Amino acid sequence: MAKIDPAALQQFKSEVALKFQLYNSLFTSLPFHRIEKTGILLSVLLNVCEEGYKKKKTPLQILDDFFASHTSFRTEQEKADLLFRFVQYVERQVVLFDALEDAAFSKINDFSGPGTLKQLASFLQQPDLDTSQLEKNPFCVRMVLTAHPTQFYPGSVLGIIHDLSKALQENNTSLVNSYLQQLGKTPFFKKQKPTPFDEAMSLVWYLDNVFYPAVGKILSYADSELAGKVNNKQPLLQMGFWPGGDRDGNPFVTADTTIQVAAALRSSIIKQYYLDVRRLKRRLTFKETDQLIADLEKQLYNEVFGEQPTRSLSADSMIRQLQQVRDTIVLQHNGLFADRIDNLIQKIRAFGLFYASLDVRQDSSVHESFFEVISQSGNIFSGLYSSLSPEQRLDQLSKLPALATDPTFKEAVHADTLASVKAIARIQQENGEIGCHRYIISHCTSAANVMEVFGLFLLGGWKKEELTVDIVPLFETIEDLRQAGAIMDTLYQLPVYREHLKRRGDKQTIMLGFSDGTKDGGYLMANFSILQAKKELTALSAQYGLDVLFFDGRGGPPARGGGKTHKFYASMGKDVSSKEIQLTIQGQTISSNFGTIDAAQFNMEQLLNAGLSAAAKHSTRATLDQGQETLLLQLANDGFNAYSALKNHPTFLEYLSHASALRFYAATNIGSRPAKRGSATRLNLSDLRAIPFVGAWSQLKQNVTGYYGVGTALKLAEERGEWKKVKEMYQHSLFFKTLIDNCEMAMLKCYFPLTSHLADHKVFGEIWHMIYSEYELTRKYVLLLSGNTELMADYPVEQLSVSMRERIVLPLTTIQQYAITRVRELEAGSPHDPAAGMKTTYEKLVMRCSFGIINAGRNSA
């Protein structure tokens, strides 16, 4: 059981819950149309919703009753106008709650407690602890900011949240009021889709304002407090980046975009160095150092603001100059301000001239079609690519010559596929090798898929012996995860590929996707399959003398690999490679877990602590013992069968499309990427992206992918007489305990009264009952496991946060369901209906509700 900190809960109640009630009253002065009445009416609506759902009323009935009893509005337009004002009001309530939580973060969380670097430093001092592996093997946490936006706040709003949090920390009521008024006048709605470059620049805001200072603080602390205990050959923290490089299913990302984003990253980090050096210059006024600092400042200025940047700057030369300055002040000035120089040196080591390493990603099907087109236009292959056997493909792809001239392609995506490998070469020249050194293959289903990328680089003019790029297969579906070992075994046996790995330091990075795994196989099976794949790939790679590095594609919610992520890493044993922790940081996870310097520092320390402490204990235990593994396999199979029965139900996708906001996702304009792969008009599960799939269940308050099948699996275990074993596994396996903890989080965000009217629906009643019954079954058995009477009782601060957020957003989920119902009624009715012209308005209302609902959930998509 988790150790509950009563002081933290009390701090949350006073710093967040109470202050939310107090500052919420300031909304009555916000510059909305008839704002005071809107605020009062919204409070009334919240009560009407809560009472209405107790009486099993539908969202349509609840809002009809509200309009009839509490307003004088009778026309459709008048009602819709008020509902839009409610949406506007709740959106800003959510921002206030976010800002209060951000402001209180350092008071609620113990920066010297479990999971921090201070705690790790004490842990590593234990005399009986063998730290030789930590001293011998370099370790790092690489956090990759992705082009999967589930965050609806535009940059202007993010800036207000940042400033609002500061004002709240200082209890500056006057400033808080000003920022709330600014918030009232600032639009939340994006009328146009952002470009991939827009997405990149929105994440550069986080690099500049959060990660740059937070990483510097952590690395400076680690350098002084963990010295001699942890290998420092590479920075403990590294940043990765997907916007501008991730072209999987996104036709708007091109080679030009990739080059443009890389240039922006380079320019942005040099600006940060320039500002830091200017601050140093104000302190280092000694005659032996002032000129050295002035010279460095001038170099940086010319790179950023000069008319003709020389591109002569290098990270190594900057470190050498700073080290010279440091040596001087240590020898002649008692080390005055040496800590500030150390901090900047640590930043330069971590960020180089690239800021964040830009990954390129493309789907394997694009590579296959590219080579099919190439095979039709010349004598590069011995026949059509599609006619070659797997063995022939591997052989011929490893021997491709560089193309003398670029072919003319009918499809832009094929021209870009070739251009992208040339863009990588250019970026490496300007930003350094680490600036762009990975090519990720989505939906990798064969060894040929990996060698297609190898062959692509050969066609693009790269020489085998100079290929400074890691080729990273991404295994996502349950079947792909099962085949991963066989695929990598084939590659490891291929001499040309093994030579490539040797040149890359005998390391192979493999990406594993949680989102599509859960969508494909359900919660238990996805997590178990990823663990099994990691174990198999660890053992296999060791046989070939290789280090395997796992890159986890994690989203925000538990259904997409999120939740208590650091605990999963802490639970890994000797059977899973722990050389590095690499994971994607997506959507709201960026703003909620890394939105402030305090939060970012705390959560990065949790990841570092998890990885380093697990590595220190690595030789003593497996992730699961044999009995636990056998038991969890059975649970995963039972959960998979239950989820498959739901997924294969004839009305499964039709139900989701009918009841949720799924079909409105494309209009939200939160990201440049289409909501589904392919161009087929008919919705199918394989084309549907994980974000809208999981997000739709979240907005429906059913969160199917976060628990479905768990209850059935636990019930069957009890019937087999294995409940005692399950209970013991829950008590002694951190991996299984974390699975269940995250499952509880997903369930706490469910609210079935919202959709209970579908229980008697002639088409969808059966599937609604399937989902609700599994929820109740899972809740029963999860509480039996934990011994608690409430979900997330072991985490009372998070439990209260979730409950408050869900209550704030209840009017929005009701309005959204009301609007969805009205859209369906108008689609089914006569085009001559006087209200027929309101269909577009209600569709917009559905979409606008999504903003507040998802933002309130923070890790709901």
Side-chain angles (χ1 to χ4, degrees), residues 142-182:
R142 179 187 288 219
M143 295 169 297
V144 181
L145 307 181
T146 77
H148 291 323
T150 52
Q151 173 57 266
F152 286 78
Y153 297 139
S156 54
V157 175
L158 289 172
I160 297 172
I161 295 175
H162 183 266
D163 296 338
L164 182 58
S165 295
K166 274 189 173 180
L168 289 166
Q169 276 181 320
E170 298 162 1
N171 288 316
N172 190 329
T173 305
S174 175
L175 263 184
V176 169
N177 188 43
S178 297
Y179 292 147
L180 289 176
Q181 290 197 45
Q182 181 188 2

Coordinates of all heavy atoms in Angstrom, one line a residue, residues 142-182:
R142 N 15.9 9.9 -21.8 CA 15.6 10.7 -22.9 C 14.1 10.9 -23.0 O 13.4 9.9 -23.2 CB 16.2 10.1 -24.2 CG 15.9 10.9 -25.5 CD 16.2 10.2 -26.8 NE 17.6 10.1 -27.0 CZ 18.2 10.3 -28.2 NH1 17.5 10.6 -29.2 NH2 19.5 10.2 -28.3
M143 N 13.7 12.2 -22.9 CA 12.3 12.5 -23.1 C 12.1 13.1 -24.4 O 12.7 14.1 -24.7 CB 11.9 13.4 -21.9 CG 12.0 12.8 -20.5 SD 11.8 14.0 -19.2 CE 13.3 15.0 -19.5
V144 N 11.2 12.5 -25.2 CA 10.9 12.9 -26.5 C 9.6 13.6 -26.6 O 8.5 13.0 -26.4 CB 11.0 11.7 -27.5 CG1 10.8 12.2 -28.9 CG2 12.3 11.0 -27.4
L145 N 9.6 14.9 -26.9 CA 8.4 15.7 -27.0 C 7.8 15.4 -28.4 O 8.5 15.5 -29.4 CB 8.7 17.2 -26.9 CG 9.4 17.6 -25.7 CD1 9.6 19.2 -25.7 CD2 8.7 17.2 -24.4
T146 N 6.5 15.0 -28.4 CA 6.0 14.5 -29.7 C 5.0 15.4 -30.4 O 4.5 16.4 -29.8 CB 5.3 13.1 -29.5 OG1 4.0 13.4 -28.9 CG2 6.0 12.2 -28.6
A147 N 4.8 15.1 -31.6 CA 3.8 15.8 -32.5 C 2.4 15.2 -32.3 O 1.7 15.0 -33.3 CB 4.2 15.8 -33.9
H148 N 2.0 14.8 -31.1 CA 0.7 14.3 -30.8 C 0.0 15.2 -29.9 O -0.1 15.0 -28.7 CB 0.8 12.9 -30.2 CG 1.3 11.8 -31.0 ND1 1.0 11.7 -32.4 CD2 2.1 10.7 -30.8 CE1 1.6 10.7 -32.9 NE2 2.3 10.1 -31.9
P149 N -0.5 16.3 -30.4 CA -1.1 17.3 -29.5 C -2.5 16.9 -29.0 O -3.4 16.8 -29.8 CB -1.2 18.6 -30.4 CG -1.3 18.0 -31.8 CD -0.6 16.7 -31.8
T150 N -2.6 16.7 -27.7 CA -3.9 16.5 -27.1 C -4.1 17.7 -26.2 O -5.0 17.6 -25.3 CB -4.0 15.2 -26.3 OG1 -2.9 15.1 -25.4 CG2 -3.9 14.0 -27.3
Q151 N -3.3 18.7 -26.3 CA -3.4 19.9 -25.5 C -4.1 21.0 -26.3 O -3.6 21.4 -27.4 CB -2.0 20.4 -25.1 CG -2.0 21.7 -24.3 CD -2.9 21.7 -23.1 OE1 -4.0 22.1 -23.2 NE2 -2.3 21.2 -22.0
F152 N -5.2 21.5 -25.8 CA -6.0 22.4 -26.6 C -5.6 23.9 -26.4 O -6.1 24.8 -27.0 CB -7.5 22.3 -26.3 CG -8.1 21.0 -26.9 CD1 -7.9 19.8 -26.3 CD2 -8.9 21.1 -28.0 CE1 -8.5 18.6 -26.8 CE2 -9.5 20.0 -28.6 CZ -9.2 18.7 -28.0
Y153 N -4.8 24.2 -25.4 CA -4.4 25.6 -25.1 C -3.5 26.1 -26.2 O -2.4 25.5 -26.4 CB -3.7 25.7 -23.8 CG -4.5 25.3 -22.6 CD1 -4.0 24.6 -21.5 CD2 -5.9 25.7 -22.4 CE1 -4.7 24.2 -20.4 CE2 -6.6 25.3 -21.3 CZ -6.0 24.6 -20.3 OH -6.7 24.2 -19.2
P154 N -3.9 27.2 -26.8 CA -2.9 27.9 -27.7 C -1.8 28.5 -26.9 O -1.9 28.7 -25.6 CB -3.7 29.0 -28.4 CG -4.9 29.2 -27.5 CD -5.2 27.9 -26.8
G155 N -0.7 28.9 -27.5 CA 0.5 29.4 -26.8 C 0.2 30.6 -26.0 O 0.7 30.8 -24.9
S156 N -0.7 31.5 -26.4 CA -1.0 32.7 -25.6 C -1.6 32.3 -24.3 O -1.4 32.9 -23.3 CB -2.0 33.6 -26.4 OG -3.2 32.8 -26.8
V157 N -2.5 31.3 -24.3 CA -3.1 30.8 -23.0 C -2.0 30.2 -22.1 O -2.1 30.3 -20.9 CB -4.3 29.9 -23.3 CG1 -4.8 29.3 -22.0 CG2 -5.4 30.6 -24.1
L158 N -1.1 29.4 -22.7 CA -0.1 28.8 -21.9 C 0.7 29.8 -21.2 O 1.1 29.7 -20.0 CB 0.9 27.9 -22.8 CG 0.3 26.6 -23.4 CD1 1.2 26.0 -24.4 CD2 0.0 25.7 -22.2
G159 N 1.0 30.9 -21.9 CA 1.8 32.0 -21.2 C 1.0 32.6 -20.1 O 1.6 32.9 -19.0
I160 N -0.3 32.8 -20.2 CA -1.1 33.3 -19.1 C -1.1 32.4 -17.9 O -1.0 32.8 -16.8 CB -2.6 33.6 -19.6 CG1 -2.6 34.6 -20.7 CG2 -3.5 34.0 -18.5 CD1 -3.9 34.8 -21.4
I161 N -1.3 31.1 -18.2 CA -1.2 30.1 -17.1 C 0.1 30.2 -16.4 O 0.1 30.1 -15.1 CB -1.4 28.6 -17.7 CG1 -2.8 28.5 -18.3 CG2 -1.2 27.6 -16.6 CD1 -3.0 27.1 -19.0
H162 N 1.2 30.3 -17.1 CA 2.5 30.4 -16.5 C 2.5 31.7 -15.5 O 3.0 31.6 -14.4 CB 3.5 30.6 -17.6 CG 4.9 30.6 -17.1 ND1 5.6 31.8 -16.9 CD2 5.8 29.6 -16.8 CE1 6.8 31.6 -16.5 NE2 7.0 30.2 -16.4
D163 N 2.1 32.8 -16.0 CA 2.1 34.0 -15.2 C 1.1 34.0 -14.1 O 1.4 34.5 -13.0 CB 1.8 35.2 -16.1 CG 2.9 35.5 -17.2 OD1 4.0 35.0 -17.0 OD2 2.6 36.1 -18.2
L164 N -0.1 33.4 -14.4 CA -1.1 33.2 -13.3 C -0.6 32.4 -12.2 O -0.8 32.7 -11.0 CB -2.4 32.6 -14.0 CG -3.6 32.4 -13.1 CD1 -4.0 33.8 -12.5 CD2 -4.7 31.8 -13.9
S165 N 0.1 31.3 -12.5 CA 0.7 30.4 -11.4 C 1.6 31.2 -10.5 O 1.6 31.1 -9.3 CB 1.4 29.2 -12.0 OG 0.5 28.4 -12.7
K166 N 2.4 32.1 -11.1 CA 3.4 32.9 -10.3 C 2.6 33.8 -9.4 O 2.9 34.0 -8.2 CB 4.3 33.7 -11.3 CG 5.5 33.0 -11.7 CD 6.4 34.0 -12.5 CE 7.8 33.3 -12.8 NZ 8.7 34.2 -13.5
A167 N 1.6 34.5 -10.0 CA 0.8 35.4 -9.2 C 0.1 34.7 -8.0 O 0.0 35.2 -6.9 CB -0.2 36.2 -10.0
L168 N -0.4 33.5 -8.3 CA -1.1 32.7 -7.2 C -0.1 32.3 -6.2 O -0.4 32.3 -5.0 CB -1.7 31.5 -7.9 CG -3.0 31.8 -8.7 CD1 -3.3 30.6 -9.6 CD2 -4.2 32.2 -7.9
Q169 N 1.1 31.9 -6.6 CA 2.2 31.6 -5.6 C 2.4 32.7 -4.6 O 2.7 32.5 -3.4 CB 3.5 31.2 -6.3 CG 3.5 29.7 -6.7 CD 4.8 29.4 -7.4 OE1 5.4 30.2 -8.1 NE2 5.3 28.2 -7.1
E170 N 2.4 33.9 -5.2 CA 2.7 35.1 -4.4 C 1.4 35.7 -3.7 O 1.5 36.7 -3.0 CB 3.3 36.2 -5.3 CG 4.6 35.7 -5.9 CD 5.1 36.6 -7.1 OE1 4.3 37.5 -7.4 OE2 6.1 36.3 -7.7
N171 N 0.3 35.0 -3.9 CA -1.0 35.5 -3.4 C -1.3 37.0 -3.8 O -1.8 37.8 -3.0 CB -1.0 35.4 -1.9 CG -1.2 34.0 -1.4 OD1 -2.0 33.2 -2.0 ND2 -0.4 33.6 -0.4
N172 N -0.9 37.3 -5.0 CA -1.1 38.7 -5.5 C -2.5 38.8 -6.2 O -2.6 38.5 -7.4 CB 0.0 39.0 -6.5 CG 0.0 40.5 -6.9 OD1 -1.0 41.1 -7.0 ND2 1.2 41.0 -7.2
T173 N -3.5 39.1 -5.4 CA -4.8 39.1 -5.9 C -5.1 40.0 -7.0 O -5.8 39.7 -8.0 CB -5.8 39.4 -4.7 OG1 -5.6 38.5 -3.6 CG2 -7.3 39.3 -5.2
S174 N -4.4 41.2 -7.0 CA -4.6 42.2 -8.0 C -4.1 41.6 -9.4 O -4.8 41.8 -10.4 CB -3.8 43.5 -7.7 OG -3.9 44.4 -8.7
L175 N -2.9 41.0 -9.3 CA -2.4 40.4 -10.6 C -3.2 39.3 -11.1 O -3.5 39.1 -12.3 CB -0.9 40.0 -10.4 CG 0.2 40.9 -10.8 CD1 1.5 40.2 -10.6 CD2 0.0 41.3 -12.3
V176 N -3.7 38.4 -10.1 CA -4.5 37.3 -10.5 C -5.8 37.8 -11.2 O -6.2 37.3 -12.2 CB -4.9 36.5 -9.2 CG1 -6.0 35.5 -9.6 CG2 -3.7 35.8 -8.6
N177 N -6.4 38.9 -10.6 CA -7.6 39.4 -11.3 C -7.3 39.9 -12.7 O -8.0 39.7 -13.6 CB -8.1 40.6 -10.4 CG -9.4 41.1 -10.9 OD1 -10.3 40.3 -11.2 ND2 -9.6 42.4 -10.9
S178 N -6.1 40.6 -12.8 CA -5.7 41.1 -14.2 C -5.6 40.0 -15.2 O -6.0 40.0 -16.3 CB -4.4 41.9 -14.1 OG -4.6 43.0 -13.3
Y179 N -4.9 38.9 -14.7 CA -4.6 37.8 -15.6 C -5.9 37.0 -16.0 O -6.1 36.5 -17.1 CB -3.6 36.8 -15.0 CG -2.2 37.4 -14.9 CD1 -1.4 37.0 -13.8 CD2 -1.7 38.3 -15.8 CE1 -0.1 37.5 -13.7 CE2 -0.5 38.8 -15.7 CZ 0.3 38.4 -14.6 OH 1.6 38.9 -14.5
L180 N -6.8 37.0 -15.0 CA -8.1 36.3 -15.3 C -8.9 37.2 -16.3 O -9.6 36.6 -17.2 CB -8.9 36.1 -14.0 CG -8.4 35.1 -13.0 CD1 -9.3 35.1 -11.7 CD2 -8.5 33.7 -13.7
Q181 N -8.8 38.5 -16.2 CA -9.5 39.3 -17.2 C -8.8 39.2 -18.5 O -9.5 39.1 -19.6 CB -9.4 40.8 -16.7 CG -10.3 41.1 -15.5 CD -10.5 42.6 -15.3 OE1 -10.8 43.3 -16.3 NE2 -10.4 43.1 -14.1
Q182 N -7.5 39.1 -18.6 CA -6.8 38.8 -19.8 C -7.3 37.5 -20.4 O -7.5 37.4 -21.6 CB -5.3 38.8 -19.6 CG -4.5 38.6 -20.9 CD -3.0 38.4 -20.7 OE1 -2.6 38.4 -19.5 NE2 -2.2 38.2 -21.7

